Amino acid sequence: MWKHTLAALICLALAACSRPDANPAQSIPAPVTFVFAGTPTQPPAPTSTPAPTPTPTPTPDPVKLLADAAKARWLGDDLSATQFYSAALPFLPAASEQAQKARLELAKSLRDMGDHASAERHLQALTALTSAIGQDAKIILGRMAQVDGNPTGAIPLFQEALAAGTAMSPTLNVWLGDAYLALNQPISALLPLSNAVTSALNVNMQVGYREKLALAHQMNGNTPAALAQYEAILSVAKIPAYRARILWASAQTMQGAGSLPQAYARMRETMAQDPTSPAAFAALNALVQAGQPVDETGRGIVDFHNEAYAAAQQAFARAIAEPGNQTPAKLNEIRWWAAQNYIALGDSTGALRNLNQIIAEGAAAPRFADAALKKGEYLARLSDIDGALAAYAALQKAAPGSVTSAQAAQKAARTLENAGQMERAAAAYLAAQKQFPAADGADEMLLRAAFLQYRLGKFAETISTTTQLQNAYANGAYTGAAKLWQAKAQIGTGDGAYTRTLTALAAALPESYESERAAELLLNPAAPPLSRTLALKDNALAETCRDDFVFVCLPSDEGKAEAETWLRGWLGISDTVNVSAVGAAIRQDARFAQGNELWRLGFKPEAMAEFQSLLNANARDPLSLWQLALHFRGLGAFRLSISAADALARAATSAPPFLGRMVYPAYYGGLISAYAREFGVDPLLAFSLVRQESLFEPFAESGAAANGLFQVIPSTGKEIAAQLGWPPNYETGDLQRPLVSARFGLYYMSRQRKTFGDWFSALAAYNGGPGSAAIWQDRAGDDYDVFAGIISFRETSSYVQKITANYAAYARLYAR
């Protein structure tokens, strides 16, 4: 596990430190110095001969050492934390609660470092205590044993904790049931898992627990009981892929019990529920292996979605030959999927043959519109631009005035733009909007036309088109962008009216991408996006660390009293009511209690599930949102705090600055701003980025395996670690430590800035990849706004605009 430390940095600032567990030659500290209150100091070693009058060694202050330990742990530097805790313990009364708590925190640090053997020694020493600390030690030790593959060691510890009573009993029951299942003792697992189902605090958790209970029944040979659990899940589950998985599990249970007709019927139901799912593919294979008849069309669709393209092709061929499939509706459905499969195989001849057969049936035929649109898209993908345009024109002729015809007109224009035929594309966009002014996307057609006119240097036409857009779609999503391009065109013609246009834009859409860009262009029409030079307010990033329920470092509470007064006035609450303390209804909610316990013991993902359910249940109550936002903030559950604060701000007509800073916070302010200075990144941009990436959640992990505050993907993290030569013995898990993720993310951003020359393009590279950003920049030339307009990934386009909007909000809240 992690072997780097901030201890070297602390030593540089305060005193020399020993690192008995590390090779000093391998200790490569980051070049940012974080100064804590003290540093571990060991008492002098005894000597066998008298020494000449030694210089007295100052007695360490254990209170400072414990504070330093907590701060190091907060930043993700568990090695330094273990050093601080170890240095403090000899100076604390062994039987004191302070010493016992320090030992528990030391064990948690060792656990998080992966040193389970050392953590276990400290935890074992605490389990004899009858206090809450002893209870905590048993739970942590039990879970650690379970994770390490020792369910036998975990079971008695979980049982003792349950017998003593704890708010996290539902979770402990699940863990206990899992331990029994791991030992193949399903009878013993039944009671704790049944208790977990009964005490589940929301439907999502309950269905998960029912799955485990069904498995226990199945292992115990009680098929009816197992199936009853699966049916209970299906009665509430709504997501098709999850339903398919449960249907497949129940089919396997039926098959194992010898109920083959029912099992085969359930397998077919699985295929129909969600053909895209792995469960459907498994069910299909089971039916085939059992020699059971399968609908060939459904078989082909399942094979296609699970990338078994050769098998799908054969299935569709058999389906087309079946006598019962000779109606136009059935044939066209088969041909549609066969065409998709041929496209996946790279067989353009087969794909176009099937699409053309559908189209030949006429506009009233099933799948006609799908096939006609797909033909145009596929031909464009094959670089047959004329063929694609002809396909779209044929569709418009066959189905004039239809929704599909409007889509064809828009796609034809987009095809021309993608092919680089800007003049023809602009005319096609204008024609599409004129022909279908009420169609979805009609306003976007005008915006794309204006954008292309600008790129062609036709500024007068740009102004005309953007004016038309603003007049025709005054409340549409693209009016701000239209005003921006209008101002750009005015700048291009030398018309000083651009200042009025930009001023009006900034006023109309505050804290948006367009308003931030307007502010920059007003300062300098040639300025790139995110180029304003802003000075932070005094103490804007000041933090106060406290150790109440848990240790957390938070920005200032300045303005909180004003926000409470605002909330009372809005909701009509008496001045005598403490609006910021969590109300009785929430305190009595079992999700609140269990979430707090899980969080305190370091089981944060499990705690987040409880808290998310609690937040969802109170999402329409402004007072509860305020209280939960503050509570989550006080825990360090920043993602949920921001979500609650944002929901509250959206429900209000106005919001005080303190609430604004909760929606756009500067958590880990000292750490992030220090690394931002190291790599030349505007701190406000750094906060805007991390808010978009993770909402300040250090242990966030995306579906693409991006990790941490700055959502660095593993391959990039490995590359950055090699380039920085830090931290030693780097592992992907280090990305979930704030001091690593922050340094890596800001280093990577600064590297993209050096490559592309401006922060906006660097953000596009951060999200869409440097290769794509290079293509967009090459096409855009020297115009940064054109670069923003030609980003071809919708996700990246939205990403850079959201971060720019974030920056506008941070500028208002934190800049002078």
Side-chain angles (χ1 to χ4, degrees), residues 430 433 437 441-451 453 461-486:
L430 291 172
Q433 187 277 334
D443 52 349
E444 187 181 4
M445 296 302 99
L446 286 180
L447 182 67
R448 297 309 300 176
F451 172 64
Q453 288 167 338
E461 287 90 336
T462 304
I463 294 170
S464 175
T465 302
T466 53
T467 301
Q468 180 186 352
L469 192 161
Q470 293 172 72
N471 291 337
Y473 308 98
N475 298 316
Y478 297 102
T479 53
K483 199 173 288 291
L484 181 60
W485 285 111
Q486 179 183 346

Side-chain angles (χ1 to χ4, degrees), residues 491 498 502 517-529 531-532 785:
I491 293 171
Y498 81 87
L502 291 173
R517 191 67 188 121
E520 292 162 345
L521 292 172
L522 281 168
L523 290 173
N524 179 2
S531 61
R532 287 196 292 168
D785 295 291

Side-chain angles (χ1 to χ4, degrees), residues 17 126 165 349 428 437 589 612 617:
C17 301
L126 295 171
T349 301
D589 193 308
Q612 183 68 67

Side-chain angles (χ1 to χ4, degrees), residues 4 60 103 127 135 145 226 243 258 291 374 417 431 483 651 665 749 769 804 810:
H4 76 286
R103 189 174 295 279
T127 54
Q135 174 89 330
R243 288 182 58 82
K374 177 60 71 174
E417 181 180 2
K483 199 173 288 291
M749 261 297 291
T804 306
Y810 275 100

Side-chain angles (χ1 to χ4, degrees), residues 377-401:
E377 294 168 4
Y378 187 48
L379 289 171
R381 181 172 142 191
L382 295 173
S383 299
D384 183 358
I385 305 305
D386 290 338
L389 296 175
Y392 290 133
L395 171 55
Q396 289 184 270
K397 183 177 180 180

